[in-house]
Amino acid sequence: MNRTLFVNVGVWDATGAATYPGEVLVEGNRISKVAKGSERLPRDGAETIDAAGCTLIPGLVEGHAHPSFSNAATTVEIGDIPPEEHVLVTMHNARAMLDAGFTSLYGAASAKVRLDVVIRNEIDSGRIAGPRLRAASPEITVTGGLGDERRMHMHRESFALIADGPDEVRRAARMCVREGVDNIKINISGDDFIKSAKAAMTVMNDAEIRAAVEVAQAYGKRVNAHCRAGESVKAAIRCGVDVIYHCEFADDEAIDMLEREKHRTFVGPAVGILYNTMYYANRWGITEQVATDLGIKRALEACAATYDKLRRRGVRVVPGGDYGFAWTPQGTNAKDLELFVKLFGYGHGEALLCATKTGGEIMGMADLGQIRAGFLADLLLVDGDPSQDVSILQSKDRLLAIMKDGAFHKRPRVALAGGRQAAE
Ligand SMILES: [Zn+2]
């Protein structure tokens, strides 16, 4: 059995405790022992990593992952990718997120039914490198909703599945389950770049939402919903949706409902796409004025106000900012943590808890997301202490080692005790 011992390391264990000096022993794919202070763990037979005071944290969890999104500027382009290329795109993106320290991805939506599924299976088999992945379905959307790219005179594929009425939603959801997804995505709100379904509109009805939830519950899957409008958030909660994304226009009633259901549901702002569309999309013709005209500034301000409230109410919030568009490229996902601090009022350690402890919870794994004996050994060795400054996680050079399931994806270059040098 593989044994790896981290010594001379600061341990930030995601239990809510501050970073403490200690040692961590990994045996097989699990953390077997954690020592605090001057306590020493047995060295025998273990590869010993002298971390020189760097910080060990749990691997990050991306709570709104789109590994099949191709860093395109429009959603139409994502639908145009042929399946053969699309599998490769998805494979490379999953790898890019692992390279960035994300050892788990909670799939928000996939661009084709089997993309997340086949990549999850290849990763789990060990044939390709990638994070743990809860595979998502495509976005199930109603005619005219976000993701319906058809026109009267032409059929056009998109990243969505179009379904109207509970029977069609049920059929689409069951088909996704048959093909192996873990999460079913539905679009309850529109979006401001969709002429026929704006962000403030609730375009999927309760019967349709309930159909998706019934299928998910029957098969032990989760339902994710795209909800911008307050009414959409309320409908999602009323109908039993598990993960509610965006929520920026949640009114007080919706926020009360989210608080009441906080032990069952998760929310994710997907703030990265709003922020980068506002300030970093100039190259694609989206100046601040264009973004403001598109409603992005209003959405960003609403998002900041809503998530400040949700944070105070103890609602479980996951980072994940719709990375996978041109100005939110895959692998830059850790920026969301900085935005949690900058825009929502989280402390650095609190933001990190959202990406680790809460991340383990949204993955549905009781033994993921913390550094505790018996937990899965998904670990990052970081140059510096991200619980004091989460922005350092955006620099790959600061990620000295990435371990997933007890094996190094990125080996540390630090000296090993006994004078050996770790192979890269
Ligand atoms: Zn998304």
Side-chain angles (χ1 to χ4, degrees):
M1 184 166 47
N2 264 347
R3 302 178 84 226
T4 306
L5 178 65
F6 294 90
V7 302
N8 193 15
V9 72
V11 182
W12 185 84
D13 60 14
T15 63
T19 304
Y20 53 84
E23 298 190 347
V24 175
L25 179 64
V26 173
E27 293 187 289
N29 70 336
R30 289 188 186 270
I31 297 159
S32 64
K33 289 193 178 74
V34 181
K36 285 187 184 180
S38 56
E39 187 193 344
R40 291 285 168 264
L41 296 175
R43 266 80 175 137
D44 43 300
E47 179 185 17
T48 303
I49 310 290
D50 186 331
C54 293
T55 311
L56 198 64
I57 68 169
L60 302 174
V61 181
E62 160 61 64
H64 185 126
H66 292 299
S68 56
F69 285 16
S70 57
N71 298 340
T74 66
T75 52
V76 172
E77 290 167 68
I78 297 172
D80 285 350
I81 305 171
E84 296 82 358
E85 282 87 342
H86 220 155
V87 175
L88 297 172
V89 164
T90 309
M91 177 180 79
H92 293 307
N93 287 339
R95 165 82 190 236
M97 284 187 268
L98 181 58
D99 289 343
F102 288 83
T103 50
S104 295
L105 310 181
Y106 182 90
S110 171
K112 292 179 173 64
V113 175
R114 304 193 70 243
L115 286 172
D116 275 18
V117 169
V118 296
I119 295 305
R120 176 202 63 200
N121 293 349
E122 284 298 289
I123 292 169
D124 286 350
S125 73
R127 288 189 289 266
I128 61 173
R132 300 177 195 279
L133 171 59
R134 273 189 73 114
S137 77
E139 316 202 355
I140 299 175
T141 198
V142 299
T143 291
L146 166 62
D148 179 3
E149 309 288 7
R150 300 168 303 174
R151 299 292 177 267
M152 287 312 291
H153 64 292
M154 78 182 166
H155 175 87
R156 186 157 205 171
E157 289 298 326
S158 80
F159 60 88
L161 297 173
I162 295 147
D164 292 293
D167 287 347
E168 287 188 15
V169 171
R170 197 174 290 115
R171 184 189 187 88
R174 283 181 178 151
M175 187 257 291
C176 293
V177 169
R178 182 192 72 203
E179 297 303 324
V181 307
D182 303 305
N183 307 328
I184 292 166
K185 173 72 177 285
I186 55 176
N187 289 347
I188 301 179
S189 294
D191 222 313
D192 279 338
F193 63 95
I194 308 297
K195 282 200 188 83
S196 50
K198 297 289 182 185
M201 294 178 186
T202 298
V203 294
M204 183 175 269
N205 66 34
D206 279 22
E208 292 164 329
I209 301 166
R210 285 209 165 90
V213 170
E214 277 167 25
V215 172
Q217 289 179 348
Y219 294 95
K221 311 295 181 185
R222 280 198 167 147
V223 176
N224 311 329
H226 169 92
C227 298
R228 295 199 185 274
E231 290 309 316
S232 300
V233 175
K234 291 177 219 174
I237 300 169
R238 194 163 60 229
C239 299
V241 168
D242 304 291
V243 180
I244 308 173
Y245 288 128
H246 310 300
C247 304
E248 59 265 30
F249 298 117
D251 56 19
D252 288 346
E253 188 188 4
I255 287 172
D256 287 344
M257 289 171 78
L258 285 169
E259 184 179 11
R260 269 201 300 280
E261 293 293 317
K262 67 184 179 186
H263 301 295
R264 189 182 66 73
T265 60
F266 298 87
V267 298
V271 64
I273 186 80
L274 292 177
Y275 192 83
N276 282 9
T277 304
M278 190 71 221
Y279 299 113
Y280 292 92
N282 243 309
R283 258 174 67 196
W284 294 271
I286 305 177
T287 60
E288 285 192 32
Q289 188 56 52
V290 170
T292 303
D293 294 344
L294 286 168
I296 301 295
K297 188 166 195 184
R298 188 175 66 104
L300 197 54
E301 286 166 1
C303 184
T306 296
Y307 282 86
D308 179 52
K309 291 179 195 160
L310 293 177
R311 174 181 62 77
R312 292 170 196 272
R313 307 260 193 125
V315 173
R316 292 186 292 180
V317 181
V318 288
D322 262 329
Y323 293 89
F325 290 99
W327 46 92
T328 53
Q330 303 276 5
T332 62
N333 313 54
K335 183 168 183 181
D336 251 49
L337 278 77
E338 184 182 350
L339 296 176
F340 271 41
V341 174
K342 194 167 164 172
L343 303 179
F344 304 156
Y346 284 87
H348 291 268
E350 282 180 309
L352 202 49
L353 282 173
C354 295
T356 53
K357 179 172 182 289
T358 310
E361 291 165 5
I362 197 172
M363 291 297 286
M365 297 169 75
D367 52 1
L368 186 74
Q370 293 178 292
I371 300 180
R372 290 168 59 179
F375 273 53
L376 289 163
D378 288 6
L379 298 166
L380 305 181
L381 184 62
V382 184
D383 177 8
D385 185 349
S387 73
Q388 301 299 312
D389 179 6
V390 285
S391 72
I392 64 177
L393 293 168
Q394 293 170 55
S395 163
K396 287 194 185 144
D397 296 343
R398 307 288 289 265
L399 303 179
L400 303 176
I402 300 169
M403 175 179 270
K404 181 196 146 202
D405 213 32
F408 281 117
H409 171 65
K410 179 180 185 180
R411 295 188 65 86
R413 299 177 66 182
V414 296
L416 297 177
R420 281 194 300 133
Q421 196 71 26
E424 278 185 54

